[in-house]
Amino acid sequence: MSRAFSLFIQENHRLLVITSSIMDKTARILDANLNRGREGLRVVEDVVRFVLDDMDLASRIKTMRHMVTLLVRQLPLDELELLRARDSQGDVGMNLNCASEDLRPDLSHIVSANIHRSQEAMRVLEELSKLYSGNVALQFKKLRFQIYELEKEIVPELVKYLTQDKHT
């Protein structure tokens, strides 16, 4: 249910006016991408933890996942607003799938897909955070670049592990 009000935010000597309708839609996009980003990182974290047995790297990924939550808490939206904005059953993209999503040939492809999912989510969070806070947007950008580096670190290691496992 939409509330009729406007939010006025002053940042860098600019006055931003965000209507309740736009806030509701923005909250829905933020919620979806928060979930997407954290879920993707969780898949990667579990593979690193249980397959590669790399607790240090798993801990770094967990920290990144929790950073997403900490960053969004700096925006002028509370978790209840995000939850209220969620409409999973009414999501017109709920049944959009491509063939590559239905079957993955090995764990490295699963990890790559989930890293990319997290990178894309961080980009959306970065862009929409600009409506509220340039600083939070910058932090999401930094996190996105950390995930790019994470991909370079994990995927080759996982491919190496999977290749060795096939030959033993």
Side-chain angles (χ1 to χ4, degrees):
M1 175 171 30
S2 291
R3 299 166 305 264
F5 66 90
S6 296
L7 176 66
F8 298 91
I9 300 174
Q10 185 170 354
E11 183 176 292
N12 297 333
H13 307 289
R14 294 179 303 152
L15 185 63
L16 307 173
V17 180
I18 304 172
T19 64
S20 60
S21 174
I22 295 298
M23 282 183 60
D24 289 346
K25 300 289 186 183
T26 302
R28 187 173 175 204
I29 298 168
L30 286 168
D31 179 64
N33 282 280
L34 286 166
N35 291 334
R36 183 177 295 124
R38 290 184 295 216
E39 289 165 359
L41 286 171
R42 184 55 191 240
V43 171
V44 175
E45 178 186 335
D46 282 352
V47 171
V48 167
R49 178 179 169 192
F50 295 114
V51 176
L52 295 179
D53 293 319
D54 190 330
M55 195 47 74
D56 290 334
L57 188 52
S59 179
R60 281 183 25 220
I61 299 166
K62 182 176 183 175
T63 299
M64 287 180 191
R65 188 166 46 83
H66 286 275
M67 179 59 71
V68 173
T69 301
L70 293 174
L71 286 173
V72 82
R73 286 183 181 156
Q74 294 178 35
L75 298 175
L77 298 164
D78 64 33
E79 291 177 43
L80 191 54
E81 286 178 273
L82 294 172
L83 189 58
R84 281 189 197 121
R86 187 177 300 165
D87 184 13
S88 303
Q89 296 304 311
D91 184 346
V92 298
M94 186 170 107
N95 295 314
L96 292 178
N97 258 16
C98 59
S100 65
E101 290 180 280
D102 293 333
L103 187 62
R104 308 268 189 223
D106 62 34
L107 277 174
S108 69
H109 287 84
I110 290 171
V111 166
S112 288
N114 280 280
I115 286 175
H116 294 158
R117 179 175 293 123
S118 294
Q119 291 164 346
E120 292 163 2
M122 292 310 110
R123 180 55 180 231
V124 174
L125 293 167
E126 171 190 340
E127 292 299 329
L128 290 182
S129 293
K130 291 174 183 177
L131 292 170
Y132 305 100
S133 168
N135 182 52
V136 172
L138 181 60
Q139 296 306 311
F140 276 122
K141 179 179 182 177
K142 288 179 180 178
L143 189 54
R144 179 168 52 91
F145 277 87
Q146 288 175 16
I147 297 171
Y148 291 148
E149 291 302 311
L150 186 69
E151 180 179 21
K152 283 177 53 178
E153 188 174 349
I154 293 173
V155 173
E157 189 66 31
L158 187 57
V159 168
K160 179 180 166 187
Y161 176 86
L162 294 172
T163 303
Q164 288 174 349
D165 194 48
K166 286 181 184 176
H167 297 301
T168 56

